[in-house]
Amino acid sequence: MSVNSAHKSGFGATLWDWLTTVDHKKIGILYLAAGAFFFLLGGLEALIIRIQLISPQNDFISAGLYNEMITMHGTTMIFFAATPLLFGLMNYIMPLQIGARDVAFPFLNSLGFWLFFFGGIMLNLSWFTGAPDAGWTNYAPLSLQSPGHGVDFYVMGLQLSGAGTLMSGINFIVTIVLMRAPGMTYMRMPLFTWTTFVTSILVLFAFPALTVGLFLMMFDRMFGTAFFDVALGGNSIIWQHLFWIFGHPEVYILILPAFGVFSEILPTFSKKRLFGYTAMVFATFLIAFLGFMVWAHHMFTVGLGPVANSIFAVATMAIAVPTGIKIFNWLFTLWGGSITINSAMLWTLAFIPSFTIGGMTGVMLASSVADYQYHDSYFVVGHFHYVIVGGVVFALLAAMHYWWPKMFGRYLHEGMGKLAFWTFFIGFHLTFFIQHFLGLMGMPRRYWVFLEDQGLDAGNLISTIGAFFMTFGVLVFVINIFYTWKKGEKAPGDAWGTGRTLEWATASPPIHFNFKQMPLVRGLDPLWIEKMEGNNKMTPAEPMDEIHMPNGSILPLIMTIGFFIASYGFIYQVDHKAWLIAVYVGMAIGMGCMLIRSLRDDHGYHISKEEVEREGD
Amino acid sequence: MSHHDHSIDPKNLTQDPSKATMEGKHKFLGLWIFLGGETVLFACLFGTYLALKDSTAGGPSTHDLYGLELVFLMTVLLLTSSLTSVYAIYHMKNNDFKKMQLWMGITAALGLAFLGFEIYEFAHYIHDYGFTFRSSAFGSAFYALVGFHGGHVVFGLSWIITLMVRNAKRGLNLYNAPKYNTFALYWHFIDVVWVFIFTVVYLMGMVS
């Protein structure tokens, strides 16, 4: 299809193309592939945890390995599975939805991906030498006293990937502000673009707090400073504050794009415009704002005092209001619609009650007095898996089924889609519903074993059986991907026939410059408007002309490898100062690439008018 | 090939070459947004410093260390460098490359002088008081906050010196004008952060 693919010859050229790409669609696919890989790793870790807890006083894995397992499961799932999978979707879909040819900073986009990817690789390489074991929250002083280098890998891996995430956030904001097609006013933007925008703002303000926290942790562990060392006047609560100033917005960084996904799928398969569009946009902002103001609800039992606890409790409960607005708007979108039930819709419909249960237990936890009972129990584990799995993972699977034909030109198999849905859905509720009750009966989270005949045996067994159901569902989905790759039914541009937004006005998959001519947007759901007026296509907003495109570059990859080497140096210079060489060499490579980037003018290239006309839709 | 030529014909001047291209506008907004993130970054470091500034663990305290003369001089140097960068951008907007380079050069010189005094200050604390980032939580927080700012100054200086050397013979064009503009914005931000450091660290440290 694309000009580039015509020149491709063999594996080497294809690999080079993917390593140097600055195309937002390819980077989106890279994010999805890498995120899926880490998702499978994180899922495997979860399964091992559940097998260990299948029966009382089990000795399937040792206590130390169990600590590594829960730490890596949480860290991997949040930072290297959920976030990048959503960023992959944003990268692929958002520019198409606003009628742009690329993101504002294609080079930075590529750099952001590689930093995330090598951060994840770094973290997982720690399995060979000792993984981090201080929990995904990495609380000081536990993390300071953790022996070996596990926690150091956590610190450096998250620092690398966090830098990449911040770059993507800035990139998305500028793209949305400056690169919308003519007529695409803010209040005509699709909800997924809106949530990408608001999520990026959250990334912008949340990730620097993590950067600082990791920086302080790095210096305490590797260079002997005393930020968290009480003997020298340090204060370990600072880590908790910094971590949760980042960590609480992070869950909204995950859930808001999920809301955006559902807000795209429901109108498409209900054949109605989204109910309460304006209220949805407003609610998104309100959730984002409140999401920033409530971090201390993770610290009710730290001893901040009743006044602080009350303020944070009330602010936390207030989030239920805009979230409730959203839930009702989704229901009203369905109301009276001409509804198609397929795999994408099944995940969406299942999300509504599942997420609502998670929201209700959230309000229960927000009550700071009651939280003294729930704190660090399995009730909390049940709660956050209901919102993260029932919200984010359901959204990712819904989005995969919904946008797969757009991204790869083929439909995922419906039968396998439904099988995966039902097994995963049943398994999910089996696993996590019972955990609320285990928590109320006194089972603490993070415990390696539990004792016999304390009323916890049956619940844990059921929970583990559920985990196997979920595993089965994921495997069916993976098989579906391979089946679709080989034999899937081909999809046209408007794959569902009821597409409303601009991405459905392109070919499936889109040509590498997305739009031959920028489309003219005449209202909300622009493609739907054109279809209702009997036009098959968008009206172009500009004459056919040559198109300016950015050049690919290998520099982002090399730069990242430089910082990756330097990170190893930082970790191991504690053992032997010779490792400082790795710091210097790595930094020289990274900085050298930045210098090359500054010294060389890169004007990109132009696709001639004739070539643009020749490209098939 | 007219599309590929980004140089400016001096007779056909663009008003503000830094924003004449889409890329220039993207960069300017992108840097503004980046500074939003930087604000949070420094806010967290300020918060950490405020929480730990009295945790001296028996070591030197703010009263023992700080002296106003040096930091006042540093403040004057850095604030003046912000002003000179404004002159540079003013000349860029009038397409006067030579004057822009001159004022950017003065900006860099002032920044280097600031950095020199900062290094002197740190060396003074370490040698005369034995005050390092390992001495106490206060020491860690002080060097983290002020050192992080200093790191930003180093980065800014390498940025502008690279730009000036790189473009010395090429002159001003639509491709490099946005780079000077974003640098100037970044440099102002560094100055604003220093004003807060001057107040929160040094002034408050001496009066409390």
Side-chain angles (χ1 to χ4, degrees):
Chain A
M1 291 286 276
S2 70
V3 183
N4 290 338
S5 63
H7 301 300
K8 272 180 201 164
S9 52
F11 177 73
T14 311
L15 182 68
W16 182 255
D17 185 37
W18 282 92
L19 294 181
T20 59
T21 187
V22 294
D23 178 357
H24 74 95
K25 298 182 291 299
K26 284 188 176 160
I27 291 173
I29 290 172
L30 285 172
Y31 264 112
L32 291 174
F37 169 69
F38 290 124
F39 180 78
L40 293 179
L41 280 182
L44 186 66
E45 286 148 13
L47 197 62
I48 292 169
I49 293 168
R50 278 319 317 167
I51 291 173
Q52 166 61 24
L53 295 175
I54 196 168
S55 61
Q57 291 183 293
N58 199 1
D59 58 355
F60 177 63
I61 54 173
S62 70
L65 186 58
Y66 183 85
N67 282 347
E68 297 181 355
M69 219 43 95
I70 55 165
T71 303
M72 288 295 281
H73 167 66
T75 311
T76 304
M77 283 304 199
I78 296 283
F79 291 97
F80 300 107
T83 311
L85 285 167
L86 290 166
F87 270 59
L89 283 180
M90 292 175 186
N91 243 312
Y92 201 107
I93 301 298
M94 179 274 287
L96 292 170
Q97 283 195 330
I98 61 171
R101 293 210 168 92
D102 207 331
V103 291
F105 307 111
F107 181 91
L108 217 54
N109 203 14
S110 163
L111 181 60
F113 166 76
W114 290 114
L115 283 171
F116 137 70
F117 182 65
F118 275 86
I121 293 293
M122 169 145 232
L123 188 77
N124 277 284
L125 283 176
S126 72
W127 276 121
F128 298 105
T129 51
D133 56 359
W136 85 278
T137 52
N138 205 46
Y139 276 0
L142 179 65
S143 49
L144 293 181
Q145 287 158 7
S146 168
H149 287 298
V151 170
D152 302 327
F153 276 94
Y154 173 99
V155 168
M156 300 312 293
L158 291 198
Q159 195 69 287
L160 276 184
S161 76
T165 309
L166 183 64
M167 283 175 198
S168 306
I170 294 171
N171 211 342
F172 291 151
I173 296 175
V174 178
T175 305
I176 293 171
V177 172
L178 291 179
M179 295 180 77
R180 284 166 290 129
M184 177 66 80
T185 60
Y186 280 105
M187 291 314 278
R188 288 175 182 176
M189 293 196 316
L191 243 289
F192 184 69
T193 299
W194 260 119
T195 53
T196 300
F197 186 56
V198 175
T199 300
S200 302
I201 296 172
L202 284 178
V203 166
L204 178 70
F205 292 129
F207 269 78
L210 178 70
T211 305
V212 171
L214 292 171
F215 178 76
L216 304 186
M217 181 67 73
M218 173 185 171
F219 267 71
D220 263 17
R221 277 190 62 100
M222 301 177 201
F223 299 104
T225 57
F227 294 104
F228 310 122
D229 180 358
V230 181
L232 286 173
N235 183 343
S236 57
I237 303 298
I238 290 175
W239 168 264
Q240 289 197 29
H241 276 296
L242 290 174
F243 186 83
W244 288 117
I245 287 171
F246 148 77
H248 197 76
E250 168 69 15
V251 302
Y252 292 92
I253 290 167
L254 298 180
I255 201 63
L256 288 177
F259 289 171
V261 167
F262 296 126
S263 303
E264 298 296 316
I265 293 175
L266 281 165
T268 302
F269 295 118
S270 304
K271 297 195 191 68
K272 276 176 70 191
R273 66 170 278 183
L274 184 71
F275 189 92
Y277 172 86
T278 317
M280 287 297 231
V281 174
F282 181 67
T284 306
F285 270 102
L286 202 56
I287 292 171
F289 175 75
L290 289 172
F292 245 105
M293 298 294 139
V294 298
W295 79 89
H297 69 209
H298 296 267
M299 303 159 69
F300 280 152
T301 61
V302 163
L304 301 176
V307 176
N309 277 5
S310 306
I311 292 169
F312 281 97
V314 173
T316 304
M317 292 176 191
I319 299 180
V321 177
T323 314
I325 291 174
K326 285 192 167 245
I327 299 276
F328 281 108
N329 279 332
W330 288 317
L331 293 177
F332 287 136
T333 305
L334 286 161
W335 190 300
S338 172
I339 300 171
T340 309
I341 303 276
N342 53 25
S343 304
M345 267 303 256
L346 280 174
W347 289 109
T348 307
L349 296 174
F351 149 80
I352 295 175
S354 306
F355 186 82
T356 306
I357 294 171
M360 288 188 291
T361 53
V363 177
M364 290 168 75
L365 283 162
S367 172
S368 54
V369 274
D371 185 70
Y372 276 78
Q373 181 66 28
Y374 308 132
H375 183 75
D376 266 351
S377 77
Y378 252 75
F379 188 88
V380 179
V381 179
H383 158 72
F384 69 67
H385 282 91
Y386 258 79
V387 285
I388 300 292
V389 181
V392 183
V393 176
F394 281 21
L396 284 166
L397 287 158
M400 284 301 141
H401 287 89
Y402 180 58
W403 278 314
W404 196 274
K406 177 49 59 191
M407 294 191 284
F408 300 101
R410 289 172 188 271
Y411 293 98
L412 283 169
H413 188 268
E414 266 301 311
M416 274 189 266
K418 283 175 179 155
L419 178 64
F421 166 75
W422 284 110
T423 45
F424 192 95
F425 178 70
I426 292 168
F428 161 70
H429 284 286
L430 275 182
T431 307
F432 297 113
F433 194 71
I434 197 99
Q435 289 184 358
H436 295 101
F437 298 98
L438 287 170
L440 292 177
M441 288 188 284
M443 181 168 156
R445 71 192 279 201
R446 302 193 180 101
Y447 270 34
W448 168 54
V449 288
F450 57 95
L451 295 176
E452 233 166 326
D453 294 328
Q454 295 193 326
L456 305 174
D457 306 17
N460 273 301
L461 177 64
I462 292 170
S463 188
T464 302
I465 292 170
F468 278 101
F469 270 83
M470 291 165 79
T471 310
F472 181 80
V474 171
L475 289 178
V476 172
F477 181 73
V478 172
I479 293 167
N480 195 354
I481 288 174
F482 284 105
Y483 173 85
T484 303
W485 187 21
K486 290 287 174 206
K487 293 190 177 165
E489 188 193 338
K490 287 229 163 66
D494 184 8
W496 304 107
T498 51
R500 310 175 74 86
T501 41
L502 280 180
E503 76 268 29
W504 303 109
T506 62
S508 291
I511 37 178
H512 70 290
F513 44 86
N514 294 357
F515 300 91
K516 286 183 172 186
Q517 293 159 288
M518 294 260 259
L520 180 68
V521 176
R522 299 194 292 155
L524 185 63
D525 294 341
L527 182 63
W528 188 258
I529 291 175
E530 299 295 335
K531 285 195 280 197
M532 285 304 102
E533 295 190 1
N535 308 327
N536 280 328
K537 285 185 167 184
M538 295 302 299
T539 314
E542 58 176 9
M544 191 82 80
D545 200 358
E546 62 172 19
I547 295 173
H548 178 242
M549 296 294 285
N551 285 322
S553 175
I554 193 71
L555 284 180
L557 177 59
I558 299 176
M559 202 186 293
T560 305
I561 291 173
F563 292 132
F564 182 79
I565 294 169
S567 301
Y568 261 92
F570 278 122
I571 292 174
Y572 284 105
Q573 54 82 27
V574 175
D575 300 340
H576 199 292
K577 288 298 160 199
W579 278 91
L580 282 171
I581 296 168
V583 173
Y584 298 134
V585 170
M587 291 309 266
I589 295 172
M591 299 290 186
C593 288
M594 288 165 81
L595 192 67
I596 294 169
R597 172 77 178 160
S598 310
L599 294 179
R600 278 179 45 205
D601 281 3
D602 184 355
H603 293 303
Y605 67 100
H606 284 76
I607 303 169
S608 72
K609 192 176 160 188
E610 295 71 32
E611 210 173 332
V612 173
E613 279 167 351
R614 217 170 35 238
E615 289 278 322
D617 278 302
Chain B
M1 294 294 279
S2 64
H3 281 276
H4 301 259
D5 185 10
H6 290 254
S7 63
I8 305 171
D9 177 2
K11 292 185 184 66
N12 191 11
L13 295 178
T14 323
Q15 192 63 43
D16 191 357
S18 64
K19 289 187 201 155
T21 58
M22 273 306 278
E23 197 175 340
K25 289 176 190 160
H26 288 176
K27 281 189 172 155
F28 197 62
L29 181 65
L31 200 92
W32 261 113
I33 292 168
F34 169 69
L35 295 183
E38 291 272 275
T39 306
V40 178
L41 198 101
F42 277 106
C44 292
L45 286 168
F46 273 107
T48 306
Y49 175 81
L50 286 174
L52 298 177
K53 71 181 166 62
D54 298 323
S55 306
T56 54
S61 70
T62 55
H63 292 283
D64 302 327
L65 296 167
Y66 301 157
L68 264 193
E69 296 83 359
L70 184 71
V71 281
F72 182 73
L73 183 61
M74 287 163 74
T75 307
V76 171
L77 285 172
L78 205 59
L79 290 192
T80 311
S81 80
S82 217
L83 180 70
T84 54
S85 78
V86 171
Y87 286 148
I89 295 302
Y90 168 80
H91 289 300
M92 179 194 72
K93 289 184 180 175
N94 290 325
N95 292 285
D96 190 338
F97 179 71
K98 286 243 162 66
K99 279 188 179 155
M100 180 191 77
Q101 288 277 87
L102 175 68
W103 283 106
M104 279 297 181
I106 296 172
T107 304
L110 289 167
L112 275 171
F114 170 88
L115 202 62
F117 282 116
E118 182 147 89
I119 291 167
Y120 167 77
E121 185 201 359
F122 285 5
H124 171 61
Y125 291 165
I126 293 166
H127 287 127
D128 299 347
Y129 295 91
F131 178 67
T132 70
F133 67 4
R134 292 197 183 103
S135 299
S136 60
F138 161 58
S140 306
F142 169 81
Y143 285 108
L145 173 58
V146 183
F148 221 70
H149 174 269
H152 276 68
V153 173
V154 172
F155 183 80
L157 286 173
S158 359
W159 184 359
I160 190 59
I161 292 168
T162 308
L163 267 184
M164 287 176 58
V165 173
R166 161 78 178 66
N167 294 310
K169 287 183 183 162
R170 300 184 191 223
L172 192 63
N173 58 45
L174 295 185
Y175 184 79
N176 62 28
K179 294 174 186 249
Y180 283 97
N181 208 27
T182 42
F183 163 77
L185 188 56
Y186 175 85
W187 195 251
H188 294 318
F189 176 77
I190 291 178
D191 288 1
V192 172
V193 173
W194 178 259
V195 171
F196 279 90
I197 290 179
F198 181 69
T199 313
V200 172
V201 176
Y202 295 102
L203 287 185
M204 279 173 61
M206 296 194 70
V207 295
S208 63

